[in-house]
Amino acid sequence: MSTIGYGPAIEWRDRLRKALRAADILCTAPIANLDEDDLTDVSNLNAGDAVQLRALLESGAAGEAKAGLAPAPFGTITSPEAPAAAFEDLRGVLAGLGITDITLARTQYGAPTMHIHRVDATGTAALVTLLWTALGQYQVAAAALWTALQGHGLSDISLRPRVTRLRIEVGELSVPESAVLAGALDGGPLPDGVLDDKDDPPNETEIAARLREALTGAGCGSRLPLTIDAHCRKCGEGPSVTLPHLSLKDAQTLATALGRSAVGLAEHA
């Protein structure tokens, strides 16, 4: 039985879920152990997950942000021996953290999988800390982008960059805010009229297209789908623009571009 307590176990379990998702490790979300609910089980780690998790934990243990992160390409681990080696390597790293209750099994489709059992809050906290240390570049990029957006007055509650699946998830903007962001990037004038005038709102499709072009022009890549989420008028909300999930490089590029734009605005104020 863990002596850490049920409350901290729940907190660290949720943090571990978020850290694993940020690292694009798509195992079953951590859950309470069936026999002792202050302990955590992590199930269905495939061989690719095992390789990724081991590399991240080793980088975190060394106090280093892991460079060049990417999901393991499908089919990379092909030989019959490779999954066993990947699981054994991860088992060794976990043992160093005091996590030793591990079983290997197969899915209903015959694929090998690892299950990690009965991790107490101390072990879960160690996993979370090491993962986020390894993902340090992503955290820095998300924070820098948030600061850059705030520099242009864009700080809506639904807009908060965060790390998910080795991308920076930016969030949503209202159409007027999207126009502001596009103008900050391309230097062009805002649409005629008052942007927050509900009787004559800007055209969301045109604004989304302009923002897509502005992001591309800023060097954020050429494939940036922008989704228009149209809310019904009964909800009292206007349509919104969902920004794309950005690669690490694109998030860094966007933060830099917005930072330069904010400096330019300050100099001409």
Side-chain angles (χ1 to χ4, degrees), residues 25-249:
I25 296 173
L26 302 181
C27 57
T28 302
I31 60 172
N33 180 268
L34 289 176
D35 297 321
E36 299 179 75
D37 56 13
D38 60 341
L39 302 178
T40 295
D41 291 349
V42 181
S43 302
N44 295 313
L45 282 158
N46 63 35
D49 289 335
V51 170
Q52 181 87 312
L53 181 56
R54 176 187 60 80
L56 290 170
L57 292 177
E58 288 179 339
S59 290
E64 300 174 349
K66 179 70 174 172
L69 283 170
F74 181 78
T76 298
I77 300 178
T78 55
S79 72
E81 298 81 12
F87 292 138
E88 197 59 33
D89 289 343
L90 177 57
R91 188 195 293 270
V93 173
L94 293 172
L97 300 174
I99 300 171
T100 58
D101 193 345
I102 295 169
T103 59
L104 299 179
R106 290 190 177 273
T107 67
Q108 59 180 326
Y109 305 106
T113 185
M114 172 184 274
H115 305 288
I116 305 170
H117 309 283
R118 302 171 58 81
V119 184
D120 65 16
T122 299
T124 305
L127 292 174
V128 171
T129 299
L130 295 179
L131 282 170
W132 281 120
T133 298
L135 293 170
Q137 293 182 68
Y138 286 83
Q139 287 190 293
V140 169
L145 183 53
W146 175 232
T147 298
L149 289 165
Q150 289 179 303
H152 289 275
L154 302 173
S155 56
D156 188 86
I157 191 171
S158 60
L159 181 76
R160 187 63 187 261
R162 62 178 181 174
V163 186
T164 180
R165 299 195 65 180
L166 298 180
R167 296 287 186 272
I168 308 300
E169 180 182 350
V170 185
E172 276 188 353
L173 285 172
S174 68
V175 175
E177 290 171 329
S178 300
V180 171
L181 179 56
L185 292 172
D186 65 19
L190 298 180
D192 292 335
V194 181
L195 287 178
D196 60 0
D197 185 350
K198 294 182 179 180
D199 295 326
D200 186 24
N203 184 288
E204 61 266 23
T205 303
E206 292 178 2
I207 296 298
R210 177 179 171 183
L211 180 54
R212 186 184 298 111
E213 291 178 2
L215 286 166
T216 302
C220 293
S222 59
R223 297 181 63 83
L224 294 168
L226 289 170
T227 302
I228 302 297
D229 294 327
H231 298 280
C232 63
R233 291 183 179 274
K234 285 184 179 180
C235 299
E237 299 180 13
S240 63
V241 175
T242 301
L243 295 174
H245 292 194
L246 302 174
S247 68
L248 175 62
K249 181 180 178 180

